[in-house]
Amino acid sequence: MLTAIIHGLVLAFGLILPLGVQNVFVFNQGITQPNFIRALPVIITASLCDTLLITLAILGVSIIVFGNPIIKLSILLIGIGFLIYMGYLTWKSKPNHQASEEKALSPKKQMAFAASVSLLNPHAIMDTIGVIGTSSLSYSGTEKRLFALSCIFVSWIWFFGLAFIGRMTGKFFDSRRFINIVNKISAIIMWCTAIYLATTL
């Protein structure tokens, strides 16, 4: 059982560590929100989306997705289009001179965007379903459940930590300039991800 737990922790951490669209958005909200509590909608939404993807992957959706080329192609095409569009919007967005409360996203917008960058990001879907789903086939019963819970635990801890680090970073740097840099990096990551996914078609 300990092997399943350690495997889940290490595997999930390795998958979530790269600076992807989802991570940059959660980090960005940690910066822009006036306090940490106001960033909870994005943290909880991103964590719940990861929980859903991990659960579906371990329940066997990976077999369905990777066994059906049409479904896989559809996910990739939708995701590529989404990443290109969101990259454009993020690149063009500029932090204004208003108060933090006015420029920060509302809870509903945080939740909607967090869900979209989580559930419409084919790279994350393929990683979760392909890697975690496939790895879970090594376990059964209690070990499989512990493996799943370990992966889910990493996601929740990671997003809380990421938003907190963003919040701390925003306190020590010029918020508007820093947000602008993060937005540019986020847009570039989205476009690079879209290009990479396009090469896999």
Side-chain angles (χ1 to χ4, degrees), residues 21 77-87 113 116-117 120-121:
V21 180
L77 290 176
I78 292 172
I80 289 169
F82 166 77
L83 288 170
I84 293 172
Y85 176 68
M86 290 311 303
F113 194 73
S116 64
V117 297
L120 292 180
N121 183 347

Side-chain angles (χ1 to χ4, degrees), residues 98-177:
Q98 298 174 339
S100 296
E101 290 82 357
E102 295 177 345
K103 70 186 178 188
L105 290 180
S106 67
K108 287 184 178 179
K109 287 184 178 180
Q110 285 185 62
M111 293 168 69
F113 194 73
S116 64
V117 297
S118 300
L119 301 177
L120 292 180
N121 183 347
H123 194 267
I125 293 173
M126 294 305 170
D127 274 353
T128 306
I129 293 178
V131 180
I132 292 179
T134 302
S135 297
S136 70
L137 297 177
S138 303
Y139 306 105
S140 62
T142 302
E143 286 190 335
K144 178 170 283 193
R145 287 191 288 272
L146 289 173
F147 175 79
L149 289 174
S150 298
C151 293
I152 291 169
F153 173 77
V154 169
S155 289
W156 283 80
I157 293 299
W158 176 261
F159 290 126
F160 269 95
L162 200 59
F164 180 76
I165 292 172
R167 180 65 191 150
M168 293 299 100
T169 302
K171 286 184 175 182
F172 295 105
F173 293 93
D174 180 347
S175 293
R176 288 188 295 109
R177 184 177 179 182

Side-chain angles (χ1 to χ4, degrees), residues 25-47 104-111 114 156 159-168:
F25 179 65
V26 174
F27 180 76
N28 201 357
Q29 287 307 297
I31 296 172
T32 59
Q33 294 300 324
N35 56 62
F36 184 76
I37 299 298
R38 292 282 294 274
L40 284 178
V42 70
I43 297 169
I44 294 173
T45 302
S47 300
L105 290 180
S106 67
K108 287 184 178 179
K109 287 184 178 180
Q110 285 185 62
M111 293 168 69
W156 283 80
F159 290 126
F160 269 95
L162 200 59
F164 180 76
I165 292 172
R167 180 65 191 150
M168 293 299 100

Side-chain angles (χ1 to χ4, degrees), residues 45 61 89 111 122 158 182 185 191:
T45 302
V61 173
L89 291 183
M111 293 168 69
W158 176 261
V182 171
I185 293 173
W191 290 331

